[in-house]
Amino acid sequence: MALSLAAARFRAAALTLPLVAFIGVTFLAPLGTMLVRSVHEPLVADSLPDTLALLDEWDGTSIPGEKVFRALGLEFQELHKQRALGGVATRVNRLETGMRSAVIRTARKLRDVNPDSWKEAVIAADPVWGEAKAWRALQQSGERYTARHFLHALDLGQDSVGKVVLQPPDRRIYLPLLGRTLAVSIVITMLCLILGYPVAYLIANSSTSKANLLLLLILVPFWTSLLVRTTSWIVLLQNQGVINDLLVAVGVTTDETRFPMIYNMTGTLVAMTQILLPFMVLPLYAVMRTISPSQMRAAAALGATFRQAFVRVYWPQSVPGVAAGSLLVFILSIGYYITPALVGGRTGQLISNLIAYHMQQSLNWGLAAALGAVLLGCVALLYCLFNRLVGIERMRFT
Amino acid sequence: MTGHNLAERLGRGLHLAFCIVVFSFLIAPMLVVVPLSFNAEPYFTFSQGMLALDADAYSLRWYRSVIVNEEWRLALTNSLFIGLVAAALATVLGVLAALGLASPAMPGRAFVTGLLISPMITPIIISAAGMFFFYSKLGLSQTHLGLILAHAALGTPFVVITVTATLSGFDQNLARAAASLGAGPFAVFRRVQLPLIAPGVIAGGLFAFAASFDEVVTVLFLGGLEQRTIPRQMWAGIREQISPEILAVATFLVAFVLVLLGVVECLRKRGGQGPVGR
């Protein structure tokens, strides 16, 4: 018996193994790579090994000696020859503005020189090398493993003595954006709950055939392409769109004062609420259909008003559905990307959009990875909570 | 008593009215797109002629221009190819895993389930960024294979969830009975389990396909010009050159979903007590 149980366990595990391996390679390994990238940035260290090794003995405040300048000059010459300087220049520049052009200019001027004093030649190429801050930036960007992307992602910086401090309020970008993302997610979750609860209640208390029909009204938008739904909101809400035309036609507003309802936060809120609403209704309905309508009738027969019966009998039993739907909508909205990118304009952007910006435009992949790790941490926490409270396998899509 | 009744009826009426508003909020935006895709003018709004139901204000020109457009045709081919292969891969792996997860002997079920569902919950921008880093290293970025693997990974949760739900209604005694009559594990699966869970398997596969067919972010990160799919093409259209062509494609996609759900509904009815677990 013990043996057959072991065999059954082995068989069950073996059946899941191919998918576990597949997800491991195609999905979890990429996530791992991203997490590594958020702390690992070897390019500068690999490009300037001699200079950085010599800088190890530097006191951090004076101007380094001739040996360091010579190593820097030779390594710059080599990088210039290989056309590999751009990446180094960009990374040093992230720590000290202006260093990008300084690095490139220096390398160009030192191209084919072999001076007696490298120190003079380098400083002559760009005087910034006569200042300690340039060397500090070079040294810091040469750290193979670094926490600075995470510091950056949390709006933390290091002051002159290396203590970690919060950036001054006017220079904070990511914490306010994270706050805004959380606030937007809470608002959308509340809206979905307010709109979704009565609807789920209606479906759960309809006859089977009517309920199936009403569910279809939830499922069609649920399965319709996100881009289609986002496009339709653009059609409806834009300045020359259907709703503004209608409002002008009935005289609520004039042609000059059309309401800006899209490419701003309103657009993000409206479109995301509509898109995520089915994720609220479906789990709510799944719980509500298990609550027998006869309980409400019994409460009414015993003299309870509808409100009393609802508050004391129905609502407590529907709470698991409320928790499931709310957590799901909240998890999905804090990571939302497509809709804010298309209809959010400048003010309706969320944290995901900034990750995409750093991935595609500023090409600061380390920072993108660190922001991704912060977001992933939030989602993982909520996901564990969801799994413990609800159980992900109780989800339904049809 | 009448007052009580009146209040109750009023409450019910308000509830119904509220629900109608919510349903319209869900459905109306998609319905608006359909007539506008027949607009003879290159605008995203109803012209005077359209409102007057003038036949000349309607035309099929946007459908025509989509059909003759090489880019859209390539996008359709890519979407179908990537979607079908990814869905097939996701279905095979997902069904096997669901069979394992449904076994009462499965060790660490909650953890493994959580792991296998995680691609669905992880924000797509994070998955896409990670895949970009990792797949580039393997030389898989800007290839069809890279997108197929990405979409298969994102599609498996749908198969796992749908098939697990179907299997939860499956009587394990049937498998035991077959085994006691001498059927090997594969014969039990093929002759007993598979026919019973087939509707759930097909539904899961369809959803995996639909998920791939609608996915744009990994295509943005991993795909090149040769891998442009329909959503990628729509994305470009919405961001760059807005044209009612997009509305024609959108109408086509809405029709596609109606067909898909129709098929699933038929499967559900044929499966008797509800294979996809409604």
Side-chain angles (χ1 to χ4, degrees), chain A residues 217-224 229 275 278-279 282 396-397, chain B residues 158:
Chain A
L217 293 180
I218 306 287
L219 289 170
V220 170
F222 179 68
W223 279 106
T224 300
R229 282 184 284 168
I275 289 168
F279 288 96
L282 293 176
R396 293 289 188 278
F397 309 110
Chain B
F158 296 100

Side-chain angles (χ1 to χ4, degrees), chain B residues 59-115:
Chain B
S59 101
L60 290 171
R61 67 184 272 204
W62 306 114
Y63 289 87
R64 222 172 292 135
S65 77
V66 168
I67 291 168
V68 298
N69 187 322
E70 289 289 328
E71 282 182 23
W72 281 111
R73 246 189 286 172
L74 175 68
L76 180 64
T77 320
N78 276 334
S79 278
L80 289 176
F81 175 64
I82 293 169
L84 287 174
V85 181
L89 198 58
T91 307
V92 172
L93 292 169
V95 169
L96 285 179
L99 286 171
L101 289 174
S103 155
M106 177 66 200
R109 179 182 302 122
F111 176 74
V112 176
T113 311
L115 202 71

Side-chain angles (χ1 to χ4, degrees), chain A residues 26 212 225 245 274 289 383, chain B residues 15 26 45 114 135 207 214 278:
Chain A
T26 58
N212 280 343
S225 163
D245 279 359
Q274 189 242 5
R289 68 199 267 266
Y383 180 42
Chain B
H15 177 214
L26 272 172
T45 188
Y135 288 18
F207 290 148
D214 187 27
R278 221 191 257 158

